[in-house]
């Protein structure tokens, strides 16, 4: 049975040993010392954060910061922490958390091929990973001899299904139907930037996604004429409207290749100059992916000798096909794979697919941004158990690309804390986050934290004028703090870089405090034993 991605790796931290003291007097003494030390520490951390804000010199920006001690559930630093802010991709923390809350850690997306009478139905489940070229090398499947194999490309994926049809001696079909009705028919969010619809981070969202909903092109210069643009994926030559490229390779020539399409069509124009052969593909978003996949798979079926009268997308008036006979294997993607791609890689398509799938389950109707964000608000209210705090969360989409999303730093850290203390969901949620200095969007940041022995697991966020960072800092003894640093109205030329530096200083300050706290707790634990030894003498 094909599925994507290895299982998540649970990251654990050893907790400090429990110290048992011989008398209540000793316990009271230690408790008093620890309280005084902690109170002083929080004051020091607040001072460090305030100094970092002043040093950042973000004069025209709005800054909101919240830091919580996860174990104590206390907000120990709050700087304008209840101010309503645009979260950018920090919104993904709400989407992924709400999905885990609703579906649990064992959920998998399932894409199926069904035989319904004389028709063949591809039943979409909203899986953003179906045919994602970034994950195909990790896909495992059973070979014809039953052996487990790993690694496919999208052509190989379709071939597995076609071979299954041949094994059933199916050589003729009436209709190929793509059932994407798990989601509504609105692929592009109304509050996303209209002028950026071709960019990969603005990929449309459908009940059947395919190839990350992108067309890939590898252009090569062809002396004396337009560039060679024959290598595209998925292979669909009918989508090429025109090739207006040049192939100038002189020392003064530049590589300027770009792709255009109308907002409502898969009719692509290749433009600019191609100076060097492409190693990595240029990409552009696809429109109406279920319809596109219908034509692609129809083409592959006919090439394989299977006759099909026509291909289409299921209409709202079509009956349910869910009782059809399964042909070939399901394609499954475990939620761990989706969460990691969503948070570590900050992938918008994955977040939007999650929020629409939430809406589908909650409303028992095609998933939409409306019922999906309502489901997120419901999950926030259930987990926070604080109506005032929950009311400050107002999602508009799943990824944070919309500028209409609103959160507060206090609500974000409270939300994070509910997962850090959730024994069942914490490993999966935390492992989905990027690790400072190591993975994802922060692999080149937070190198200074290494010297403290702490680990940073976090989510970045950026859209024009907005830079945010939220997550956890965890000490080697398991002590953990959640944080949220939200910066809006970054209108000055260097404001974004200043905001990132502020975020890093806050994280380092937390790590240094956690590291120092380990030493203070060790010293406090030793104090009563020394006192008892003197008294006994």
């Amino acid at each position: 049975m094909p599925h994507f991605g290895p299982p998540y790796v649970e990251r654990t931290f050893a907790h400090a040993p429990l110290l048992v003291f011989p008398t209540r007097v000793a316990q009271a003494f230690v408790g008093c010392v620890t309280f005084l030390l902690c109170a002083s520490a929080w004051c020091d951390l607040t001072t460090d954060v305030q100094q970092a804000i002043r040093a950042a010199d973000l004069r025209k920006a709005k800054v909101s910061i919240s830091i919580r001690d996860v174990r104590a559930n206390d907000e120990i630093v709050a700087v304008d922490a209840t101010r309503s802010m645009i979260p950018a991709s920090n919104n993904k923390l709400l989407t992924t958390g709400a999905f885990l809350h609703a579906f649990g850690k064992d959920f998998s997306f399932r894409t199926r091929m069904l035989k319904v009478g004389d028709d063949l139905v591809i039943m979409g489940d909203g899986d953003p990973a179906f045919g994602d070229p970034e994950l195909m090398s990790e896909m495992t499947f059973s070979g014809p001899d039953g052996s487990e194999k790993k690694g496919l490309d999208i052509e190989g994926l379709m071939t597995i299904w076609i071979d299954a049809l041949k094994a059933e001696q199916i050589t003729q079909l009436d209709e190929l139907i793509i059932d994407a009705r798990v989601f509504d028919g609105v692929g592009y969010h109304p509050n996303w930037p209209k002028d950026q619809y071709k960019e990969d981070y603005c990929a449309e969202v459908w009940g059947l996604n395919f190839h990350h909903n992108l067309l890939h092109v590898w252009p090569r210069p062809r002396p004396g004429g337009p560039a060679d643009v024959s290598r595209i994926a998925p292979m669909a030559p009918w989508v090429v409207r025109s090739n207006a490229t040049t192939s100038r390779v002189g020392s003064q020539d530049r590589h300027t290749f770009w792709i255009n399409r109308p907002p409502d069509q898969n009719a692509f124009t290749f433009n600019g100059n191609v100076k060097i052969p492409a190693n990595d593909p240029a990409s552009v978003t696809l429109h109406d992916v279920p319809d596109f996949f219908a034509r692609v798979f129809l083409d592959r079926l006919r090439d394989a000798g299977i006759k099909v009268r026509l291909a289409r997308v299921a209409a709202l008036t079509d009956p349910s096909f869910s009782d059809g006979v399964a042909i070939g294997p399901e394609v499954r993607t475990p939620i761990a794979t989706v969460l990691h791609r969503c948070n570590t890689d900050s992938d918008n398509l994955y977040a939007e697919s999650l929020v629409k799938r939430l809406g589908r389950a909650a409303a028992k109707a095609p998933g939409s941004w409306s019922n999906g964000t309502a489901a997120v608000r419901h999950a926030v209210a259930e987990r926070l158990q604080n109506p005032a705090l929950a009311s400050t969360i107002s999602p508009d989409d799943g990824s944070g690309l919309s500028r209409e999303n609103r959160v507060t730093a206090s609500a974000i850290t409270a939300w994070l804390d509910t997962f850090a203390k959730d024994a069942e969901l914490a490993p999966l949620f935390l492992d989905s986050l990027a690790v400072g200095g190591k993975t994802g969007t922060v692999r080149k940041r937070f190198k200074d934290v290494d010297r403290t022995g702490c680990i940073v697991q976090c989510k970045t966020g950026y859209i024009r004028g907005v830079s945010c960072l939220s997550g956890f800092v965890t000490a080697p003894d398991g002590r953990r703090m959640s944080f949220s640093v939200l910066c809006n109205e970054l209108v000055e030329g260097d404001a974004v870089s200043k905001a990132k530096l502020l975020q890093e200083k806050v994280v380092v300050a937390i790590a240094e405090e956690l590291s120092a706290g380990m030493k203070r707790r060790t010293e406090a634990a030793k104090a009563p034993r020394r006192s008892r030894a003197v008294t006994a003498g």
Side-chain angles (χ1 to χ4, degrees):
M1 180 174 297
H3 64 278
F4 287 106
Y8 67 88
V9 178
E10 181 174 339
R11 183 177 288 109
T12 59
F13 300 91
H15 291 281
L18 178 65
L19 301 178
V20 180
F21 295 100
T23 66
R24 291 185 179 180
V25 174
Q27 290 173 340
F29 172 76
V30 174
C32 179
V33 170
T34 303
F35 173 78
L36 292 174
L37 287 172
C38 289
S40 174
W42 302 159
C43 290
D44 291 344
L45 184 56
T46 299
T47 299
D48 290 343
V49 170
Q50 290 171 338
Q51 289 176 346
I53 294 172
R54 287 194 294 270
D57 192 30
L58 291 166
R59 289 166 291 178
K60 296 182 179 181
K62 291 182 178 179
V63 176
S64 179
I65 300 175
S66 173
I67 302 172
R68 292 182 189 268
D69 182 333
V70 172
R71 187 175 298 176
N73 198 31
D74 290 333
E75 187 172 40
I76 55 181
V77 176
V79 179
D80 287 334
T82 59
R83 171 184 278 171
S84 184
M85 303 286 279
I86 300 172
S89 281
N90 278 202
N91 208 56
K92 293 181 174 76
L93 295 170
L94 301 172
T95 302
T96 53
F99 198 93
L100 271 179
H101 175 76
F103 287 91
K105 61 185 179 63
D106 297 321
F107 176 85
S108 290
F109 284 95
R110 304 163 59 212
T111 305
R112 298 174 291 158
M113 183 169 69
L114 306 175
K115 186 72 163 46
V116 182
D118 293 329
D119 300 328
L120 186 69
V121 178
I122 307 299
M123 184 71 68
D125 195 26
D127 184 0
F130 182 65
D132 183 348
E134 290 294 320
L135 297 178
M136 294 303 295
S137 64
E138 296 297 315
M139 188 174 185
T140 59
F141 61 100
S142 297
D145 59 356
S147 61
E148 190 78 1
K149 299 181 181 295
K150 182 178 180 179
L152 275 175
D153 58 19
I154 56 170
E155 296 299 330
L157 176 61
M158 290 186 284
T159 296
I160 287 176
W161 271 349
I162 291 171
D163 287 346
L165 290 169
K166 290 181 176 179
E168 295 291 332
Q169 298 183 342
I170 296 172
T171 59
Q172 187 166 333
L173 297 163
D174 185 34
E175 293 185 333
L176 167 65
I177 303 171
I178 309 302
D179 192 340
R181 291 176 293 177
V182 64
F183 293 170
D184 64 4
V186 181
Y188 198 81
H189 193 286
N191 290 329
W192 289 354
K194 303 289 189 297
D195 61 339
Q196 297 173 43
Y197 69 91
K198 299 186 298 260
E199 304 297 332
D200 56 3
Y201 55 81
C202 282
E204 296 179 7
V205 186
W206 298 96
L208 187 132
N209 302 298
F210 180 61
H211 201 256
H212 206 259
N213 297 356
L214 298 173
L215 184 76
H216 284 172
V217 183
W218 289 262
R220 299 174 60 86
R222 185 166 50 189
D228 178 359
V229 291
S230 60
R231 184 186 173 192
I232 63 175
M235 182 53 67
W238 58 85
V239 302
V240 179
R241 171 179 285 178
S242 66
N243 180 3
T245 59
T246 57
S247 298
R248 296 189 300 269
V249 296
S251 59
Q252 302 301 313
D253 293 311
R254 294 187 302 125
H255 187 87
T256 59
F257 180 77
W258 59 284
I259 309 170
N260 195 25
R261 72 165 174 86
D264 59 349
Q265 295 181 47
N266 286 319
F268 297 92
T269 301
F270 301 138
N271 307 278
N273 185 58
V274 177
K275 183 176 181 178
I276 55 175
N279 291 321
D280 298 318
S283 64
V284 61
T285 57
L286 290 161
H287 174 64
D288 195 350
V289 175
D291 181 74
F292 174 79
F293 181 74
R295 184 160 183 183
V296 168
F297 197 48
L298 174 66
D299 181 72
R300 304 309 188 267
L301 289 168
R302 287 176 172 172
D303 281 350
I306 298 175
K307 297 179 181 179
V308 187
R309 184 175 64 85
L310 65 85
R312 66 180 178 89
V313 176
L316 290 177
T317 54
D318 279 326
S320 172
F321 300 124
S322 59
D323 293 333
V325 178
I327 302 290
E330 289 184 349
V331 179
R332 292 190 180 183
T333 307
I335 189 57
T337 299
V338 175
L339 296 184
H340 186 272
R341 187 102 159 87
C342 183
N343 283 336
T344 292
D345 298 337
S346 199
D347 193 285
N348 289 351
L349 174 62
Y350 280 65
E352 303 303 345
S353 298
L354 289 174
V355 82
K356 282 195 171 188
R357 191 64 176 79
L358 265 171
R360 166 72 176 193
K364 309 301 181 189
S368 67
W369 277 292
S370 178
N371 57 31
T373 54
V376 173
R377 290 193 298 271
H378 180 73
V380 168
E382 285 193 335
R383 293 190 74 89
L384 293 189
Q385 293 293 300
N386 182 328
L389 199 58
S391 68
T392 67
I393 298 290
S394 181
D396 187 53
D397 66 5
S399 66
L401 188 58
S402 168
R403 304 186 73 85
E404 298 304 313
N405 293 294
R406 291 295 184 274
V407 303
T408 61
S410 280
I412 289 292
T413 54
W415 173 254
L416 292 174
D417 282 9
T418 69
F419 289 95
K421 293 184 288 190
D422 189 322
E424 182 176 1
L425 301 181
L428 191 55
F429 184 78
L430 268 68
D431 195 64
S432 76
L433 303 176
V435 180
K438 293 179 174 63
T439 64
T441 56
V442 291
R443 63 187 177 278
K444 296 181 180 180
R445 298 176 68 183
F446 306 110
K447 299 290 187 181
D448 289 344
V449 174
D450 287 347
R451 58 183 166 78
T452 68
C454 295
I455 292 176
V456 183
Q457 295 163 287
C458 59
K459 180 74 203 74
T460 56
Y462 172 77
I463 54 176
R464 181 174 49 84
V466 175
S467 178
C468 300
L469 186 80
S470 300
F472 301 99
V473 183
T474 306
D477 68 349
R479 194 69 176 263
R480 179 175 287 144
M481 291 188 190
S482 59
F483 67 89
S484 183
V485 184
L486 311 178
C487 303
N488 285 193
E489 299 185 20
L490 301 172
V491 295
E492 296 175 284
D494 57 351
V496 172
S497 60
K498 286 181 176 181
K500 287 185 175 181
L501 184 59
L502 169 61
Q503 294 158 6
E504 290 173 13
K505 286 184 175 180
V506 170
V507 168
V508 169
I510 295 170
E512 289 177 340
E513 172 48 43
L514 284 169
S515 180
M518 288 177 59
K519 296 178 182 178
R520 288 194 298 268
R521 289 189 292 274
T522 299
E523 292 170 358
K526 293 177 180 178
R529 292 184 177 180
R530 289 195 297 269
S531 174
R532 180 172 181 252
V534 171
T535 302

